């Protein structure tokens, strides 16, 4: 129930490698990239999330006496290494794409430049934080897009894979565009709206449905959403809700936010019938909300069927990203600082083309069309490269190199995505509030072409390499092939 320290939230091999570097007096400065290879849930994009928790983790990364004692008990670590850990502090640099930004496969979401012992230690924690929240933020963005302007409420806490997944999943869902969460602790921690109605047990605990509705309306007249499917939705639930709303109006109680919730049955049919009943009773502004194992596909189907639902409570399928339960982010060495102070690019080979890494100390430039403001492509380049948007720019696919696009000078502009987070171990970045990130995320999604936002078979946004980076990568591949 108390705050858990995360210093030992790491895979054992991070610590055993760290001791190996220590024993071999190998603590050269390196570059590691965090990136992913495939968009989750068949999406055309993903949403970066989790950075604020990474910052908190790095700030508090120290080994306490009980940590050292536990590691000593494993009989794997020598005393000189444990003594080093007892005074450990992160001293490197971290760059990251801000939370809420639209991102694509293969580009670094986060870059660590630090002595290899430090960079190795933080791998696992960074991945578990960024992977989870980016996954849920992406899923939420898809659900919100499917709702086409209707409010999406995050209702998944009881189905999340444990308290942390429920808390930080709610945070990520808010970033993805939800209007509120049922998770009260998430509301407190992140200052986001909390929302909810009541359960079937509330109805069943009273002598009859009408009495249950009446008592609830007396308690919460300004947020009176009544669950109408406990017994019979159209013959009992909706008529009893209308009776209560009528009595509230006759008593002079303002009907500021009121309506019904459907949690079972044929939601399209039930909602249309309920809408007709509410309208005929003089309640055209009554909300009809729905829950019941919703996701982006079911919401799309219901809207295509003309369902009269304007508010959606989404739980299990969003908080677990049920169709894609893992984000797949990885953490790969990209460069090593040599004695002359230059970064030597490093590359990982693989039989799978998509697993070959991009070498070097890199950054990312997002290219926008001046006329529409939409994203044309992302360009991964070396960190010291710059580009003149008044000049023509030729971009090309780094694998299928015959696929080229020439952007005429003056028709595009560029934005560097990676920003400094830590410099020499000190945090230099202030995280926005969750609601500010949510607004920024909505703006980010507006820079996508609609073809990229569609739920099935989305258009792929190009992520290309600069000519200079492409030549370095090709040279390393040729060198590796000659040596193998």
């Amino acid at each position: 129930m108390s705050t858990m320290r995360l210093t030992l939230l790491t895979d054992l091999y991070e610590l055993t490698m760290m001791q190996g570097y220590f024993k071999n007096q190998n603590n050269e400065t390196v570059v590691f990239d965090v990136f992913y290879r495939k968009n989750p849930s068949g999406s055309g994009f993903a949403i970066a999330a989790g950075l604020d928790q990474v910052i908190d983790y790095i700030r508090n990364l120290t080994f306490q006496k009980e940590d050292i004692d536990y590691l000593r008990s494993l009989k794997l670590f020598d005393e000189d290494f444990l003594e080093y850990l007892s005074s450990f502090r992160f001293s490197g640099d971290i760059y990251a794409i801000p939370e809420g930004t639209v991102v694509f496969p293969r580009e670094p979401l986060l870059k660590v430049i630090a002595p290899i012992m430090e960079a190795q230690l933080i791998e696992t924690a960074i991945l578990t934080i960024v992977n989870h929240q980016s996954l849920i933020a992406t899923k939420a963005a898809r659900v919100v897009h499917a709702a086409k302007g209707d409010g999406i409420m995050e209702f998944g806490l009881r189905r999340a894979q444990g308290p942390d997944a429920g808390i930080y999943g709610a945070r990520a869902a808010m970033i993805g565009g939800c209007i509120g969460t049922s998770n009260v602790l998430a509301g407190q921690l992140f200052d986001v709206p909390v929302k909810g109605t009541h359960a079937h047990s509330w109805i069943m605990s009273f002598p009859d449905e009408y009495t249950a509705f009446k008592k609830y309306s007396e308690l919460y007249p300004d947020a009176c959403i009544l669950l109408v499917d406990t017994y019979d939705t159209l013959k009992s639930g909706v008529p009893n809700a209308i009776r209560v709303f009528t009595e509230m109006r006759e008593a002079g109680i303002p009907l500021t936010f009121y309506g019904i919730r459907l949690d079972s049955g044929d939601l399209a049919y039930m909602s249309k019938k309920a809408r007709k009943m509410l309208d005929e009773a003089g309640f055209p502004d009554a909300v009809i909300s729905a829950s019941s194992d919703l996701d982006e596909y079911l919401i799309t189907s219901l809207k295509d069927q003309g369902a009269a639902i304007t508010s959606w409570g989404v739980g299990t399928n969003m908080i677990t990203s049920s169709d894609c339960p893992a984000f797949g982010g990885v953490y790969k060495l990209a460069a090593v600082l040599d004695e002359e102070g230059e970064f030597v690019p490093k590359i990982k080979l693989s039989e799978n083309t998509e697993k070959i890494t991009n070498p070097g100390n890199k950054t990312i430039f997002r290219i926008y069309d001046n006329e529409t403001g939409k994203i044309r492509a992302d360009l991964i380049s070396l960190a010291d490269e710059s580009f003149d948007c008044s000049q023509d720019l030729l971009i090309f696919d780094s694998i299928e190199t015959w696929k080229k696009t020439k952007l005429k000078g003056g028709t595009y502009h560029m934005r560097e995505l990676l920003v400094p987070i830590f410099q020499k171990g000190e945090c230099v970045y202030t995280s926005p509030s969750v609601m500010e990130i949510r607004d920024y995320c909505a703006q980010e999604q507006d820079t996508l072409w609609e073809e990229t936002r569609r739920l099935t078979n989305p258009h792929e946004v190009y992520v290309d390499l600069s000519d200079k980076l492409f030549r370095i990568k090709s040279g390393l591949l040729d060198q590796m092939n000659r040596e193998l």
Side-chain angles (χ1 to χ4, degrees):
M1 296 293 287
S2 60
T3 301
M4 182 179 293
R5 294 179 56 256
L6 301 183
T7 297
L8 295 185
L9 184 69
T10 188
D11 292 308
L12 180 62
Y13 79 169
E14 310 288 16
L15 287 162
T16 55
M17 283 190 288
M18 203 177 169
Q19 177 168 251
Y21 297 135
F22 179 84
K23 291 293 186 181
N24 286 284
Q25 297 183 345
N26 174 13
N27 202 20
E28 56 198 348
T29 296
V30 296
V31 177
F32 274 93
D33 294 333
V34 174
F35 62 94
Y36 69 103
R37 299 187 178 102
K38 183 179 179 183
N39 289 318
S41 300
S43 181
F45 62 95
I47 301 296
L51 177 58
D52 192 53
Q53 282 63 55
V54 170
I55 292 171
D56 187 63
Y57 162 71
I58 297 293
R59 276 177 165 164
N60 292 284
L61 185 55
T62 58
F63 288 82
Q64 302 298 318
K65 181 180 183 300
E66 57 268 29
D67 302 324
I68 301 297
D69 289 344
Y70 173 72
L71 293 177
R72 181 179 291 113
S73 75
L74 298 179
K75 302 188 183 307
L76 291 171
F77 303 105
D78 295 342
E79 286 302 318
D80 55 351
F81 176 63
L82 294 176
E83 183 178 351
Y84 161 77
L85 290 182
S86 67
S87 59
F88 177 90
R89 296 292 294 182
F90 180 77
S91 66
D93 302 340
I94 294 178
Y95 296 80
I97 296 177
E99 291 189 272
T101 303
V102 167
V103 292
F104 307 106
R106 301 181 298 282
E107 56 192 24
L109 309 185
L110 185 146
K111 177 175 71 173
V112 175
I113 304 177
I116 194 167
M117 292 169 64
E118 300 177 25
Q120 197 76 70
L121 173 64
I122 63 179
E123 172 183 2
T124 303
I126 287 177
L127 286 177
T128 192
I129 293 168
V130 171
N131 277 339
H132 175 246
Q133 291 199 48
S134 298
L135 177 72
I136 305 306
T138 305
K139 184 67 171 180
R142 289 171 58 81
V143 173
V144 169
H145 184 61
K148 299 186 183 302
D150 296 344
I152 299 292
M153 296 171 286
E154 187 280 309
F155 279 0
L157 177 58
R158 63 188 61 192
R159 300 287 176 80
Q161 279 95 349
D164 282 354
I167 292 165
Y168 291 103
R171 180 185 188 274
M174 292 299 302
I175 288 172
C178 290
I179 62 170
T181 176
S182 66
N183 187 329
V184 179
L185 182 54
Q188 179 193 40
L189 290 173
F190 310 123
D191 193 23
V192 298
V194 290
K195 297 179 179 293
T197 56
H198 58 79
H200 295 102
S201 57
W202 172 267
I203 309 296
M204 296 162 65
S205 68
F206 288 88
D208 55 74
E209 190 174 50
Y210 163 73
T211 302
F213 287 173
K214 182 69 173 176
K215 294 297 184 184
Y216 192 84
S217 72
E218 291 171 353
L219 285 169
Y220 309 108
D222 297 330
C224 188
I225 304 296
L226 303 175
L227 180 59
V228 295
D229 71 334
T230 304
Y231 302 123
D232 189 301
T233 300
L234 299 180
K235 292 181 180 179
S236 173
V238 176
N240 278 320
I242 289 172
R243 180 181 173 187
V244 169
F245 299 152
T246 301
E247 291 172 354
M248 292 173 71
R249 175 177 290 169
E250 291 173 348
I253 299 172
L255 294 170
T256 54
F257 181 69
Y258 73 107
I260 64 171
R261 177 163 71 97
L262 304 170
D263 190 51
S264 62
D266 187 324
L267 296 179
Y269 174 80
M270 293 289 186
S271 66
K272 287 185 280 190
K273 288 292 187 181
R275 179 78 275 159
K276 186 173 186 294
M277 294 167 69
L278 288 163
D279 290 351
E280 290 177 348
F283 302 104
D285 57 343
V287 171
I288 298 181
S289 64
S291 45
S292 186
D293 290 330
L294 299 171
D295 63 11
E296 65 266 45
Y297 301 108
L298 183 51
I299 290 173
T300 297
S301 175
L302 288 167
K303 292 187 78 70
D304 288 345
Q305 296 171 62
I309 299 165
T310 56
S311 179
W312 309 80
V314 184
T316 304
N317 292 321
M318 185 163 64
I319 201 68
T320 65
S321 185
S322 58
D323 60 337
C324 180
F327 190 70
V330 295
Y331 187 92
K332 297 298 181 183
L333 181 70
V336 176
L337 193 68
D338 65 15
E339 293 179 355
E340 283 73 44
E342 298 292 329
F343 279 108
V344 179
K346 297 290 184 178
I347 193 168
K348 173 188 174 295
L349 293 184
S350 174
E351 291 293 325
N352 300 326
T353 302
E354 70 274 8
K355 289 193 173 185
I356 297 174
T357 60
N358 291 319
N361 180 21
K362 300 177 294 298
T363 191
I364 313 153
F365 288 95
R366 179 150 293 167
I367 307 171
Y368 298 91
D369 181 81
N370 283 347
E371 183 177 347
T372 65
K374 303 294 186 183
I375 299 172
R376 292 296 303 271
D378 277 4
L379 187 67
I380 306 176
S381 72
L382 297 175
D384 59 0
E385 289 191 78
S386 60
F387 300 89
D388 183 353
C389 295
S390 68
Q391 301 297 312
D392 292 352
L393 179 65
L394 182 68
I395 56 176
F396 59 93
D397 188 291
S398 61
I399 298 173
E400 299 171 322
T401 54
W402 63 89
K403 294 182 178 179
K404 295 180 170 68
T405 300
K406 186 176 184 179
L407 303 174
K408 291 191 67 64
T411 67
Y412 67 93
H413 62 280
M414 303 174 76
R415 174 170 73 106
E416 188 171 1
L417 297 186
L418 288 172
V419 300
I421 308 299
F422 283 86
Q423 296 286 290
K424 296 182 179 178
E426 295 297 322
C427 185
V428 296
Y429 180 82
T430 301
S431 292
S433 71
V434 172
M435 297 305 286
E436 289 170 336
I437 298 171
R438 176 185 178 274
D439 292 343
Y440 166 72
C441 184
Q443 295 167 12
E444 275 286 288
Q445 291 177 74
D446 285 342
T447 66
L448 292 167
W449 301 90
E450 195 59 33
E451 291 84 352
T452 300
R453 300 188 73 181
R454 64 189 176 215
L455 299 180
T456 56
N457 298 318
H459 172 73
E460 180 181 352
V461 173
Y462 299 120
V463 178
D464 296 329
L465 306 184
S466 71
D467 184 62
K468 187 175 181 181
L469 178 56
F470 175 74
R471 283 188 276 110
I472 289 174
K473 183 175 182 178
S474 299
L476 286 173
L477 291 173
D478 289 343
Q479 178 183 336
M480 289 284 194
N481 288 331
R482 287 194 299 269
E483 292 175 353
L484 291 175

